[in-house]
Amino acid sequence: MTTWLLPLPLILPFATAVLAFLFRRNREGRWISVFGSGATLIAGLILFREVWMNGPIAAQMGEWPAPFGITLVADTLSAVMVVITGITGLAVSIYAVTDVTDEMEELGYHAIFQVLIAGVTGAFLTGDLFNLYVWFEVMLISSFGMLILGGKRVQLDAGIKYVTLNLISTILFLSGIGLLYGTTGTLNLADLSRVVPTVDDGLITIIAMMFMVGFGVKAAVFPLFFWLPASYHTPSFAVSAVFAGLLTKVGVYAMVRMFTLVFTQDVAFTHTILLWVACATMVTGVLGAAAQTDFRRILSFHIVSQIGYMILGLALMTPLAIVGAVFYLVHHIIVKANLFLVAGVANRIAGGTELGRIGSLYKGAPLLAFLFLVPAFSLAGFPPLSGFWAKYVLVKASMDIEMWLVAGIALAVGLMTIYSMTKIWGQAFWKPHPSGIVPKLTDMPSHERAPLMIPIIALAAMTVLIGLFPQPFVAIAERAAAELLDPTVYVTTVLGEIAEEAADQ
Amino acid sequence: MRSSLIVQAATRLLVGLLLLFSIWMLLRGHNEPGGGFIGGLVGSTGFILYAIAHGCRAAREALRIEPQTIAVLGLGIALAAGAFAYLAGEQLFTGQWLFLGRTEENYGVPLSNILVFDIGVYLVVMGSVLTLVLALEEEV
Amino acid sequence: MEVFVAIMVGALVTASVYLMLARSVLRFLFGLVLLSNAANLLIFAAGGLTPEAPPLVAEGAYAPPEGVANALPQALVLTAIVIGFGLFAFALVLIYRGYQNLGTLDSEQMRLAEPPESDPQPSTPQMSPMAELSK
C-alpha cells in the first residue's frame, strides 16, 4: 500500500507553516521554510515515481469509502503538477531568503507562503469537488495575505481589486457546486464522471458554463482577466513570482480536470466557446503587454496571453492538443516564475521596474542579461527552448484538425510576444541607464546575491534541459493526456469495486 | 472609549462562565450538538467581551499568547491528530479510540484522536476570530 | 417550499447585483455578502428541504430514522459560511485600511496601481464612509 504517500505533499507544507510561524522572529524561520519546501518537492517526486510506475493512486481520508468521503487522487497530471509546485516553491523560498524583509517575516510571510503551497497541492490532489472549493479558499486567503504584506498604498489599491473580483468567482464556483449536487446527488469527481452522462438535462450545460466563468476568473481568461494586471506588479518579487507561476495555473488545471472528466456531455458547445475564449485571451493579453512600460506589468499581461495557449489545448480536445496543454502548463510555470525573479534582481540593482528609468543591465550584468534571454525566448517559443516544443505541439494540433485561423493566431501571438520581450531587452538591458550608473550584480553583497541567483540559474537550466531533451517530458504529457481523455482508469482507481459492479450490470 | 460600570461588573462574572461553557461545548461535541468550532466561537466571545469592557490591551494581556500563535498552534495540533492515524497504519484522519477502564457493560472513558483534533479546531477558531476582532477593534 | 426559497435566492441576487454596481467598494462588499448568502441558500435548497426532521441518530440506535434531512448540504453550507466569514472579515479590514490610506471608497478613484494617465483627473474632496454610504 502506497496510499500513505498521497497526503504527504499537503501535510509537509502545513507542518512547515506551523514551525515557520513559531520561529518567525528568528532567522531560523526562513531556513525552516526552505527545508520544508525541499521536503515537499521530494515527497512530490516520490509520489510521481509511484504514479509513473504503477498508475494512478487514490486514498480515502478517514477511511470513508468513495463517493461518500473525501478522496485524494494522483494521476499523472496531478503528480506532475505537484512536482512542479514543489520546484517553484523551493525556488521561491530560496529567493525569499534575501528578497523578503525582516518586517514581512515577522508578520509571518513564510507561514502564509507554505499554506499557499499546501492549498495549491491540495487543489491538484483532491478528487472531490467541494474539497477543491476548500483548497481554492485556502489558496485564496493566503494569497490575499501575501499580496498586501508590506502594506504599501499601491498594494492596498491592488489588493481591493484582487480580493473583490476573486470573491465573485468563488461564489459562482460555489453556486455551481450547489446546482450540480442538486442535479446529480454527488460531488466526487469520479462519481460525477459516471453520473453526469446519465442525466439528460440541459441544466448540466448551464452548470458547466458557471464553472467555466468561475474558473475563468481564477485562470484570468478573456474577458475576466482584469484583476491580474491590476495586482501582480505590486507585491514583493518573491510573492509575484509564485503568484505568476502557480495561482492562475490552478484555475487552468481545474478547468482541464472538469472539462475532460465531468463536463464532456456537450463538447461541441462548451469547447467551442473555450476555443474562442482562448484565442481572444491570447490576443488581448499580448496587445495589453505591448502597451505597457513596466517590467512586471508587461510580464503580467503575458501571463494572460499564455493562459490562452493552455485553454486552446483544452478546447481542441484532441489527444495531441491535450499533450500540448499539459506540456505548456509545466513549461510556463517554470519560465514565468523565473522571469519575475529576474525582474526582482533587475529592480534591486538598477533601482526600479519602470523601463524608462532603468538601463545598462547588459553592460553591467551580462549574466543576468543571459538569464533573462533564456526564459524570454522560451516564452516566445524559440528553439531549442522549452516553449518551442509547447507551441509547436499546439500549433500542429490545431493544423491537424484544419483550424488554420487558430494556428495562425497562435503563431502571430508568438511573434507579438517577441516584440514586447525586445522592448524589455532594449529598454532595461541595452540602453544606457538614464542616471548614468552601470548596475552590477556585484553591487550586492555575496550572501544576498547567492539566494537570488541560484533559483534563477536552476530554473533557466531546467528550461534549457526541457528544450534540449523534450522526449521524456512529452512522454509524461502523453501519458497525462491519455488518462485525461479516457477517465476509466481514474474512475476505477477512486471508486474501486463500485465502478466494476456498475460496469458488470 | 470607556465602558459602563455595569458592563465591567458583569464581564467579571461572564468571562469565566463563557470560557467554562465553551469547554463544556467542546467536550460534548462528539455525540451531541457542539464541538470545537462552536466552542471556539463561544470562548472567543469571552475574550471579546473582556476587550469591550477593559480595552484591547487588557484582553491581549489576559490572553498571554498572541491570538495568531494560538491559531497556528491549533493548526499544528489538528494536523498532528490527523497524522496520528498513520502510526496505526490507517489513512489520514481515521478515528483512533482508546477506552480507559473498559468493562463488559461499560465503555469507560473514551479517548480518541478526534477529541484532539477538536481541541485543535477550538484553538484555530478562537485564535483567528480573536486576531480579526482585536485588529478591527484597535483600528476603528 | 423549494419555490419560495428559490424566489428568495432570486431576490437576494437582485439586491446584491444592485449593490455591486455601486461605485463605493463598501457597498460592493455588502453586495458580495448578500450574493454569498444567496449561494449558500441555493446549496441548501438544491439538497432538498425536509423540515422538522433533523439528521440525528437516537441514543442506542445505529442509523437515523427514515426520511430525515440530508446532512451533506448542511455540512457544505456550514463550511461555506465559515470560509465566507473569514474572507469577508478580511475584505472588510482591507477596505477599511484602504480607506485610511487611499482616502476614498470610490472605486473610480482607486487608480494608484494603474499606469499613470496622461492628464491626471482632478481629485475630489475626501468623504467619510458614512457620507459615501448615504450618497
Side-chain angles (χ1 to χ4, degrees), chain A residues 9-266:
Chain A
L10 297 176
I11 298 176
L12 287 173
F14 270 126
T16 316
V18 173
L19 286 177
F21 192 81
L22 296 180
F23 286 99
R24 67 189 187 280
R25 298 224 162 73
N26 313 53
R27 297 183 62 85
E28 291 93 54
R30 58 183 74 161
W31 296 110
I32 290 174
S33 174
V34 171
F35 283 118
S37 304
T40 311
L41 174 60
I42 291 168
L45 283 171
I46 298 172
L47 179 68
F48 175 74
R49 182 175 171 277
E50 196 58 42
V51 171
W52 185 250
M53 311 280 274
N54 302 327
I57 43 178
Q60 319 293 344
M61 293 299 92
E63 311 244 311
W64 286 86
F68 306 109
I70 291 171
T71 313
L72 295 185
V73 202
D75 63 352
T76 312
L77 178 62
S78 306
V80 167
M81 296 308 285
V82 169
V83 171
I84 291 291
T85 308
I87 292 174
T88 320
L90 183 60
V92 172
S93 53
I94 294 174
Y95 191 85
V97 168
T98 299
D99 190 56
V100 170
T101 59
D102 290 352
E103 191 196 0
M104 283 165 73
E105 281 189 336
E106 202 155 306
L107 286 165
Y109 166 83
H110 296 298
I112 305 178
F113 173 74
Q114 292 294 335
V115 173
L116 180 81
I117 296 291
V120 173
T121 48
F124 289 147
L125 285 177
T126 186
D128 183 279
L129 197 50
F130 195 79
N131 199 231
L132 180 67
Y133 163 77
V134 173
W135 289 120
F136 263 90
E137 299 305 289
V138 169
M139 207 172 80
L140 202 59
I141 205 154
S142 45
S143 71
F144 290 172
M146 282 173 83
L147 188 64
I148 59 159
L149 261 190
K152 282 185 292 189
R153 288 178 66 198
V154 61
Q155 280 178 293
L156 287 170
D157 185 41
I160 289 175
K161 290 163 193 165
Y162 178 86
V163 167
T164 46
L165 289 175
N166 272 292
L167 282 178
I168 294 183
S169 111
T170 297
I171 294 171
L172 265 175
F173 180 18
L174 189 62
S175 317
I177 291 177
L179 288 174
L180 196 59
Y181 181 74
T183 5
T184 61
T186 179
L187 287 175
N188 185 295
L189 287 179
D191 205 29
L192 276 173
S193 139
R194 245 169 15 113
V195 176
V196 163
T198 62
V199 181
D200 184 27
D201 198 341
L203 195 58
I204 293 285
T205 310
I206 296 176
I207 298 170
M209 296 313 289
M210 285 183 87
F211 278 99
M212 197 190 285
V213 175
F215 292 145
V217 176
K218 305 271 181 207
V221 300
F222 177 85
L224 311 161
F225 62 85
F226 303 109
W227 57 271
L228 192 150
S231 59
Y232 271 23
H233 61 286
T234 57
S236 75
F237 287 84
V239 173
S240 57
V242 73
F243 279 18
L246 292 177
L247 286 198
T248 47
K249 307 312 171 298
V250 182
V252 176
Y253 167 85
M255 232 187 223
V256 169
R257 184 62 83 200
M258 289 306 283
F259 283 89
T260 55
L261 186 64
V262 180
F263 297 125
T264 49
Q265 84 292 350
D266 196 359

Side-chain angles (χ1 to χ4, degrees), chain A residues 68 130 133-134 137 140-141 144-145 148 151 153-161 163-165 167-168 170-171 174-179 181-183 185 187 210 229-231 233-234 292 297 354, chain C residues 20 25 28-29 32-33 35-36 38-40 42-43 46-47 70 72-73 75-77 79-80 83-84 86-88 90-91 94-95 97-99 101-103 107 109-116:
Chain A
F68 306 109
F130 195 79
Y133 163 77
V134 173
E137 299 305 289
L140 202 59
I141 205 154
F144 290 172
I148 59 159
R153 288 178 66 198
V154 61
Q155 280 178 293
L156 287 170
D157 185 41
I160 289 175
K161 290 163 193 165
V163 167
T164 46
L165 289 175
L167 282 178
I168 294 183
T170 297
I171 294 171
L174 189 62
S175 317
I177 291 177
L179 288 174
Y181 181 74
T183 5
L187 287 175
M210 285 183 87
S231 59
H233 61 286
T234 57
Q292 300 302 321
R297 204 187 285 272
E354 183 61 42
Chain C
M20 289 201 306
V25 280
F28 186 92
L29 183 70
L32 269 181
V33 174
L35 192 62
S36 99
N40 290 338
L42 178 77
I43 299 182
N70 186 351
L72 188 73
L76 299 187
V77 170
T79 317
I83 293 175
L87 289 177
F88 288 124
F90 181 89
L94 178 66
I95 286 176
R97 277 272 170 83
Y99 171 71
N101 279 286
L102 308 171
S107 51
Q109 289 178 27
M110 293 190 173
R111 300 202 50 84
L112 213 60
E114 309 292 324

Side-chain angles (χ1 to χ4, degrees), chain B residues 47 50 54-67 134:
Chain B
F47 282 101
Y50 194 79
H54 300 283
C56 290
R57 179 188 290 250
R60 280 187 194 274
E61 275 168 17
L63 262 177
R64 287 163 206 270
I65 318 173
E66 279 174 277
L134 290 183

Side-chain angles (χ1 to χ4, degrees), chain B residues 33 37 41 107 129 132 135-136 139-140, chain C residues 82 85-86 89-90 92-93 96-97 100:
Chain B
F37 181 76
L41 279 182
Y107 275 120
V129 168
L132 279 168
L136 265 178
E139 290 267 334
V140 180
Chain C
V82 170
F85 165 73
F90 181 89
L92 185 65
V93 175
Y96 185 76
R97 277 272 170 83
Q100 279 183 323

